[in-house]
Structure formats: structure tokens, C-alpha cells
Amino acid sequence: QVQLVESGGGLVQPGGSLRLACTASSLDYYVYAWFRQAPGKEREWVSCIVTSDDSPYDADSVKGRFAISRDQVAKTIFLQMNNLKPEDAAVYYCATKSRMRYCDASWREYGIWGQGTQVGVSS
């Protein structure tokens, strides 16, 4: 089974940037997604990439500020986060599922998860 490890979280001021990385044991699956979960809230879909053509899909809340990308050689999915806002603070997780062919915004559809990386946004 594929294993995922996130990194790159930290504490930044509003308007700052971070780049999260999700390093996989392999990138053989079609779909990789980023989710986030703030305290007391449900896990929320952020962004997704379909590796057959590197098509990105972003939630409206992050569109124009976040960008997902893939480095096949490094077996890594990146999430570049710019113009961060306090409401972006959360634990960020990457996820995937074997035989999934399209992006799904429901966290319940994904069966493989990383351990998460914390993102804080505060002045």
C-alpha cells in the first residue's frame, strides 16, 4: 500500500506563503488530494490533482491562492500556498485511493492518508 508523508507546515503571518510536500512511496495512483481540518470542524477538501494529465482542481476558498503540482521523479505532491489567511490555519493532510479516476471532494472516499502537517496563520 502507498504510504504518504507530509512536510512543510509552520507558522506564518497573514499574507505569507508556505509550500507543503506530500512524499509518497510511489505515485502510481491517478488521484492525489489535499484536505485540511481545523479544530472542531470537519475535514475539508482543498485541492486535487489527476496525474494522467496533471489537471488541478481547487476549492473555491483557495482558488487563485493555492496551487497543487506533482514531481514524479521525487514522488512528491506539492501544495503552494500564497496569501495565507487566518482561516487557512489547520492540519493539512494528503490523501489518495487506489483505482480512483477522478477528484472527489468527500474525505470519506479516500482510503490512504498521511499523518498531517500543521499550518498556523497569525500575526
Side-chain angles (χ1 to χ4, degrees), residues 20-87:
L20 305 184
C22 172
T23 302
S25 53
S26 73
L27 284 184
D28 292 339
Y29 296 164
Y30 283 99
V31 174
Y32 295 83
W34 283 96
F35 286 79
R36 66 187 181 187
Q37 189 167 20
K41 294 188 176 181
E42 188 170 3
R43 195 162 293 192
E44 173 191 23
W45 173 67
V46 175
S47 188
C48 183
I49 188 166
V50 178
T51 60
S52 59
D53 59 2
D54 282 339
S55 296
Y57 300 88
D58 302 312
D60 288 342
S61 59
V62 305
K63 201 164 290 186
R65 299 188 298 122
F66 291 12
I68 190 170
S69 62
R70 174 178 67 115
D71 184 332
Q72 186 68 27
V73 174
K75 301 178 184 177
T76 301
I77 304 294
F78 295 102
L79 184 67
Q80 178 67 43
M81 306 188 297
N82 299 324
N83 190 22
L84 282 159
K85 303 176 181 180
E87 53 263 41

